[in-house]
Amino acid sequence: MKRYLKHDRYRLDEHEAGSLWYAVRRELKDKEGGAAHRPAARAWRPALATVSVLAIAVVTVSWWLAGRGPSQAEHAALSGGGTTVAALEAHEAPVSAKRAEPAAPAASSSESHKGEAAANRTDSGPAVAAEPRLVVEQKAAVAADRSGVITGRVVDQSDGTPVAFANVMLVGTTRGTSTDSAGVFRFEQMEPGRRHELQVVMLGYAPLDVAVDLPVDGRADVACGLEPVVVAALQPFDVTGEQYMVEIKSAVTESRATGETFDKYAIDSVEDALSKQAGVVYRAGEKYVRGGRSGEVSMQIDGSAPRPAPASEGAVQSLAPVEQSVAGRSAADAMRKRAMPQPGSVTGGTTPPNGEKFELMYFEHAGVNPFVATDDDALSTFALDVDNASFSLARSYLDRGELPPADAIRVEEFVNALDAGWQRHGSETFRIGLDGGPSRFGEGYHLLRVGIVGHSVEDGRRKPANLVFVIDVSGSMDRESRLGSVKRALRTLVDELGEGDRVGIVVYGSRGEVLLPLTDVSQRSTILGVIDGLQPNGSTNAVEGLTLAYDLARRSYDAGIINRLVLCSDGVANTGTATSAEGILALARRGSDDGITLSTVGFGMGNYNDVLMEKLADQGDGNYFYVDGPREAERVFRENLTGMLQTIATQAKVQVEFDPRRVSRWRLLGYENRDVADRDFRNDAVDAGEVGVGHQVTALYELKLVSEGHGDDDEDDAARLGTVHLRWEAPEHDTSHAGKVTEIERDITRGMFVKSEPDGSPHRRAQALAAEFAEILRGSYWAKESRLSSLVPVADALARELPRDQAVQDLSRMVRRAADLKEGQGARHREPLRDE
C-alpha cells in the first residue's frame, strides 16, 4: 500500500520500481529493432508461443510412448547448454538469419516464421534444437508469475473496531505496508499456489503472525484480530522551549480514563480534558476515550437509554459498549459507588496521585489571543462576561500555598474582579467608558481600556424575585465542610431579601427532592430552618435536582419579576439519566429560553468541576461565582446581590473597530472563550452575555500605533483610533421593553490616552496589573519575558494608593505569594515590601 507521507510522497514501492525498469528496457529494445519490425513481432509472439507449447506436448508424448529418453544433446539443451543459447539468439535475431533451407534475405517476419515451422515439420535436426528452447521459456514464465494479491483487515479483537496505521510485514522479505483508516491493507505481485507469512505489529497490541495460503487463482483475503495489551508508560517529564504561535485544535491521539472517573464526575468535563476524542470503547471494567478526529461523544450511565453520537467525519461510531448500565453491575459495586467518600484520595490511598495537591480539579484552557494586524482584520467582537470565579479560585490556591494551574486562569475574570472606577449612573441602560496610556508591560505599546457601565438601582427598588436554591447535598459536599459554607452563604442571602421575594429549596444527593416550595421571605424562620437542617449524603444526581427546580420555578413563573435558580455545588454530577454535561446544559438552555435564569456558585478544592459550573451559568444566562471563604460569600450575596439577581441586558456584545491608518496591530487580553464571529455581531440569534444592575465590565487591548513618533497625529487629541459598538437586548422581566434590541457606539480618540503611565487612573493601573499577573500565571507567550517579582513593587504601590479597595489588597498579597512560590524567597529582597 502506498504511503502518502510528506517525506516519501514520490517514493516507488518494489512493484512500481520493477514495472518502470521493464518498461524502459522494452522501449530501448524496440528502438534497436527498428520501427518496421515491432508491430509484426508483437503480433506473432502469442501465436508462436501457442504453437511451441503444442509442439512440446506432441514430442513429449511421442517420447513417452516410444520408451526413449532424451538424447545427450537434449540433456545439454535442457540444462542451458550452447544449443539453447543459440536457439534463443536465433529467435531474437533478424529474420535474415541463415536457415537449413535457403530463404530470401529480405523476407518478412511472417514469412520467416512460416519457413521455421515448415523446417520443424520436415527436418528432425532443427526440431530437436527448438524443443528445449521452448521448455526453458515456459519455465521462466511460470517462475515470473506474481499476479497474486493478498488483502486483509486489521481490527481490535475486543470490540471489532478497525486499527489504523498498523504495520504489516511480509516475513522473510523487506516488503511491508500499513493499514488505512479502515484497517485495510493490500499486497500485490504475490506468487500464487504457496504459503506466505505475515506479521502484524501495532503499539498497544500483541504482535500477530498470520499464515496465508494463496490459492492458484491468486486471490486471498484475511481477517486479523489484534489483542490489546497494557503498555508501560514513561515517568512524567517536562519539556521546555519557546511556544510557537499556532492554534492547536487537538494534540491528543489516544487518551484513557478509568470507569471510576466516568462514574463519579461530570462526563463532559472528562471529554473536554481528553480533547473530545471521537471513539469510546469499554474493556476489562474500564472505559477508554481513544483517538480519531475530534467529535462529540455520547455516553449513558446508570441505566439510561442509549442515544446515538452525532456523526463526525472519521469518528468511530461504535459506542454500544459505553452505553452499559451502571445499575446492571453487582449490588456490592453499586453500594460502593454510593458510599460516603473517605478521607484521602478518591482514587485510593491517603494522598492524590502524581504529586498533585488537589485531586480532580477540572479546568479548560481556551488558548491565548494573538496580535492581529489591523490591515488583515480591523474588527474585534466578543460577548460580555461579568464572572470573576477564576480570581477567587486562584486566591484559594495561593492561600493554601500552591500556584494555581494555568488552565484555571481567565484574564478577563481577574480584570473584572477589581473595581473599574467608572462613575456610576442611574439613567440610560449603559454608558461606554474609554481611557488609555502607555503600557508598562509592553514597551512601545499602548493599553486601551473599554468599560461598559450598567445603570445602578437602589436595593429597595429592585424587582421582586422568585428564587429557587438548588443545593448539592451529596457526599462530596461533606469534604472541607463545603455544605457548611453553603449554609452560611444562603443565610446571608436570605437576610438581604425583601418584600415580594419568595424562596424555594431543592436538594439533590442520590435523588432530587423539593424541601420547600416557593415561600414568601416573610417566613424567614421556616426558610432558615430548612437550610440549617441540610445534611450531606449519597451520590450526585444533579440532573434530577435541576429538573425539579426548573419545574418548581415554571409553576410559579411571573414574566414581570425575576425568575432565577441559584445552584450551590462543587460541579460534580455522577448519576441520573442525563449525567453527561450535554444533558445538564440542555436543561439550563431550555430554562433560559423559558425566562428562568441560572447562576452558579462553586465551593471546595479537590473534586471540583470549574468547567461545568462556568458552562451552566453561561447556558443559563446567569453569573458564575466561586466562594473561597466568608468574605467572598459576603461580597457575592450581600454587596452584589441586586446585580446578581436583576439582569438589565441579555445577548450583550461588543465590537471594536480599529482604524488601520492609526492602529498597526491590536490584541484583546482575555475573553478567548467569549469570542463571537465579526459577522454575528448584529445576529441576535447568537447567544452572548448577560449584565446585571450596576455591573461594570472592562476589556483591555494592547495597541501598536502607526504614527507613534513619526507623524503629526501624535499631538492631535481629536485623531480617531477606532469606534466601540455595544449591542444588547432588554430582558423579559423589563415588561415595557422586553425583547427590544439597542445599539450604541463611541469613538476612541488619541486624547483619551495619557502621556505617561503613572498619570492614569489608579483603577486602570490596577486592572492592567491584574491582567499582567494573569498572563504570567497562565503561561502566555506575550508575558514570557515578565517576572512575578517585578510586579511586587507595583502591586504594593497600588495597595497603598487604594487602601480601602479590598480586591486590590488581595491582588497585592496574591502577587507576593505567587512570586515567592514561583521564583523563591529571593524575590522578596529585590524591592522593599510592605508588611502583610
Side-chain angles (χ1 to χ4, degrees):
M1 178 178 174
K2 299 177 187 176
R3 295 178 300 166
Y4 291 98
L5 299 177
K6 181 175 267 187
H7 62 271
D8 61 355
R9 170 184 262 170
Y10 304 106
R11 180 183 299 170
L12 300 178
D13 64 22
E14 184 180 352
H15 172 59
E16 291 172 325
S19 299
L20 179 60
W21 165 246
Y22 286 117
V24 172
R25 182 179 177 185
R26 186 167 57 251
E27 184 68 19
L28 291 174
K29 191 172 289 186
D30 287 344
K31 288 183 178 179
E32 292 173 359
H37 295 281
R38 285 197 299 269
R42 289 176 182 170
W44 280 98
R45 282 176 185 170
L48 176 62
T50 302
V51 171
S52 301
V53 171
L54 291 174
I56 291 171
V58 171
V59 172
T60 302
V61 172
S62 300
W63 285 343
W64 178 263
L65 294 175
R68 56 181 292 272
S71 67
Q72 185 176 0
E74 291 166 343
H75 274 295
L78 287 170
S79 61
T83 305
T84 303
V85 174
L88 290 173
E89 290 176 348
H91 178 67
E92 296 292 341
V95 182
S96 59
K98 293 182 179 180
R99 301 278 182 180
E101 295 181 6
S108 67
S109 175
S110 59
E111 291 171 346
S112 299
H113 284 299
K114 290 178 181 178
E116 183 179 357
N120 288 338
R121 289 194 302 271
T122 60
D123 189 347
S124 61
V128 172
E131 287 169 4
R133 173 176 62 82
L134 295 173
V135 170
V136 171
E137 286 182 345
Q138 185 184 36
K139 288 185 176 181
V142 172
D145 182 11
R146 291 182 173 273
S147 60
V149 177
I150 297 177
T151 58
R153 187 165 185 259
V154 180
V155 299
D156 188 310
Q157 181 176 298
S158 64
D159 57 16
T161 57
V163 178
F165 310 116
N167 294 318
V168 186
M169 295 169 286
L170 188 61
V171 178
T173 72
T174 59
R175 297 183 64 184
T177 185
S178 61
T179 59
D180 61 15
S181 60
V184 175
F185 67 88
R186 179 183 179 90
F187 281 102
E188 298 180 347
Q189 296 299 305
M190 304 297 293
E191 184 177 345
R194 58 160 290 192
R195 170 169 291 192
H196 299 274
E197 301 288 339
L198 304 180
Q199 186 177 61
V200 185
V201 179
M202 181 63 180
L203 183 65
Y205 297 91
L208 177 67
D209 294 322
V210 182
V212 183
D213 292 320
L214 188 59
V216 292
D217 65 2
R219 294 292 183 270
D221 188 71
V222 296
C224 306
L226 296 184
E227 180 183 358
V229 296
V230 176
V231 180
L234 294 174
Q235 293 297 319
F237 60 92
D238 295 328
V239 178
T240 60
E242 297 295 336
Q243 297 186 31
Y244 189 67
M245 296 305 292
V246 176
E247 183 180 8
I248 303 297
K249 292 297 185 184
S250 174
V252 179
T253 57
E254 179 170 345
S255 302
R256 163 180 166 174
T258 65
E260 181 74 4
T261 301
F262 278 85
D263 291 338
K264 284 185 68 65
Y265 307 105
I267 295 304
D268 191 59
S269 67
V270 176
E271 286 179 333
D272 290 342
L274 299 177
S275 298
K276 291 191 174 181
Q277 295 303 291
V280 180
V281 293
Y282 186 97
R283 299 183 194 136
E286 294 181 334
K287 299 181 181 68
Y288 290 77
V289 178
R290 299 201 54 188
R293 297 186 184 178
S294 179
E296 296 295 330
V297 177
S298 174
M299 285 165 283
Q300 272 63 47
I301 296 180
D302 221 14
S304 61
R307 293 183 292 112
S312 174
E313 181 184 0
V316 180
Q317 297 299 319
S318 179
L319 302 181
V322 181
E323 295 162 351
Q324 296 185 6
S325 170
V326 172
R329 299 180 186 177
S330 67
D333 189 46
M335 290 287 289
R336 180 180 60 81
K337 295 291 183 184
R338 288 165 171 76
M340 294 287 290
Q342 300 300 315
S345 170
V346 297
T347 57
T350 57
T351 58
N354 304 321
E356 297 178 4
K357 297 296 181 181
F358 307 103
E359 187 178 8
L360 298 172
M361 298 290 287
Y362 290 109
F363 302 103
E364 182 178 60
H365 201 301
V368 178
N369 283 331
F371 268 99
V372 179
T374 312
D375 285 337
D376 295 333
D377 185 1
L379 296 176
S380 170
T381 311
F382 61 95
L384 290 185
D385 182 12
V386 296
D387 300 342
N388 59 16
S390 179
F391 183 83
S392 302
L393 272 162
R395 182 174 60 202
S396 183
Y397 269 97
L398 292 168
D399 284 346
R400 297 164 190 254
E402 298 294 329
L403 284 170
D407 292 359
I409 307 303
R410 294 182 286 272
V411 175
E412 70 277 8
E413 296 188 19
F414 272 60
V415 171
N416 286 304
L418 275 63
D419 182 9
W422 303 110
Q423 184 177 358
R424 299 187 178 276
H425 65 94
S427 52
E428 61 268 29
T429 304
F430 287 113
R431 290 180 181 174
I432 300 175
L434 296 168
D435 64 12
S439 173
R440 69 174 300 140
F441 304 113
E443 185 176 353
Y445 286 82
H446 283 73
L447 193 67
L448 168 68
R449 186 170 68 141
V450 178
I452 307 300
V453 187
H455 72 80
S456 300
V457 173
E458 296 179 4
D459 291 343
R461 298 178 56 191
R462 171 180 59 80
K463 286 182 175 289
N466 281 344
L467 294 181
V468 178
F469 299 153
V470 191
I471 306 169
D472 182 355
V473 295
S474 64
S476 63
M477 293 295 289
D478 194 35
R479 302 174 67 179
E480 304 174 311
S481 189
R482 298 178 189 181
L483 190 56
S485 299
V486 171
K487 292 180 182 181
R488 289 190 293 271
L490 292 182
R491 289 187 68 94
T492 301
L493 190 153
V494 171
D495 288 342
E496 292 300 309
L497 296 179
E499 183 178 354
D501 294 332
R502 295 195 297 169
V503 172
I505 298 177
V506 176
V507 299
Y508 62 89
S510 298
R511 300 295 304 272
E513 183 180 1
V514 177
L515 294 186
L516 182 71
L518 280 167
T519 302
D520 192 274
V521 74
S522 60
Q523 302 182 41
R524 274 186 170 81
S525 59
T526 301
I527 298 171
L528 295 177
V530 174
I531 293 174
D532 291 341
L534 299 178
Q535 295 295 329
N537 67 87
S539 56
T540 315
N541 196 336
V543 174
E544 188 168 342
L546 283 170
T547 300
L548 290 173
Y550 277 115
D551 289 344
L552 180 60
R554 286 187 178 94
R555 288 197 297 269
S556 302
Y557 177 78
D558 185 342
I561 66 173
I562 300 166
N563 300 271
R564 184 176 294 264
L565 271 57
V566 178
L567 172 65
C568 299
S569 174
D570 55 15
V572 176
N574 60 19
T575 60
T577 58
T579 304
S580 69
E582 181 185 35
I584 299 174
L585 295 176
L587 286 173
R589 183 72 268 161
R590 288 195 298 270
S592 176
D593 292 342
D594 292 339
I596 303 168
T597 56
L598 170 66
S599 289
T600 60
V601 186
F603 296 83
M605 289 286 286
N607 194 30
Y608 181 77
N609 194 335
D610 171 79
V611 179
L612 183 58
M613 294 294 279
E614 185 194 21
K615 287 184 177 180
L616 276 170
D618 181 39
Q619 293 296 309
D621 289 343
N623 313 122
Y624 168 37
F625 305 96
Y626 178 82
V627 173
D628 59 340
R631 194 175 63 195
E632 183 65 15
E634 183 82 7
R635 190 191 70 80
V636 172
F637 292 116
R638 193 184 303 276
E639 300 172 11
N640 194 39
L641 178 63
T642 298
M644 182 184 77
L645 296 182
Q646 185 164 327
T647 301
I648 60 174
T650 64
Q651 317 307 334
K653 292 172 280 190
V654 171
Q655 185 169 85
V656 181
E657 180 180 6
F658 293 104
D659 188 342
R661 297 173 300 173
R662 295 186 171 89
V663 178
S664 172
R665 54 184 177 270
W666 54 271
R667 183 172 83 94
L668 174 61
L669 278 66
Y671 291 95
E672 285 86 1
N673 64 351
R674 309 292 289 177
D675 182 68
V676 174
D678 295 333
R679 65 179 179 276
D680 289 332
F681 175 66
R682 294 183 175 87
N683 181 357
D684 299 319
V686 174
D687 187 45
E690 292 68 44
V691 182
V693 168
H695 281 166
Q696 300 186 4
V697 187
T698 299
L700 298 177
Y701 284 90
E702 283 187 296
L703 307 180
K704 184 70 172 179
L705 303 183
V706 171
S707 60
E708 187 64 26
H710 301 286
D712 297 334
D713 286 341
D714 286 353
E715 304 301 326
D716 184 4
D717 289 347
R720 190 183 71 87
L721 305 184
T723 304
V724 178
H725 304 267
L726 171 64
R727 185 179 179 88
W728 74 93
E729 180 179 323
E732 190 166 350
H733 62 72
D734 184 359
T735 52
S736 58
H737 303 93
K740 179 182 178 182
V741 177
T742 306
E743 183 175 333
I744 61 175
E745 64 181 44
R746 186 181 178 187
D747 286 342
I748 308 166
T749 62
R750 189 66 176 81
M752 296 173 177
F753 290 72
V754 297
K755 302 300 181 184
S756 63
E757 196 272 341
D759 296 336
S761 160
H763 296 286
R764 180 182 65 82
R765 286 185 276 123
Q767 289 187 313
L769 173 68
E772 183 70 7
F773 181 42
E775 287 276 88
I776 297 173
L777 288 179
R778 71 170 175 166
S780 169
Y781 174 84
W782 309 109
K784 64 180 180 179
E785 303 297 334
S786 299
R787 292 177 62 84
L788 289 170
S789 56
S790 66
L791 304 186
V792 173
V794 181
D796 281 337
L798 284 167
R800 289 191 293 269
E801 193 171 356
L802 298 170
R804 291 186 292 180
D805 190 323
Q806 186 57 55
V808 172
Q809 304 302 312
D810 288 346
L811 177 63
S812 175
R813 177 171 51 84
M814 291 164 67
V815 168
R816 283 183 283 119
R817 291 195 175 183
D820 285 344
L821 291 169
K822 189 175 181 67
E823 300 170 14
Q825 293 295 329
R828 283 188 170 276
H829 304 296
R830 293 191 179 96
E831 298 288 345
L833 306 178
R834 66 184 180 87
D835 295 333
E836 292 194 34

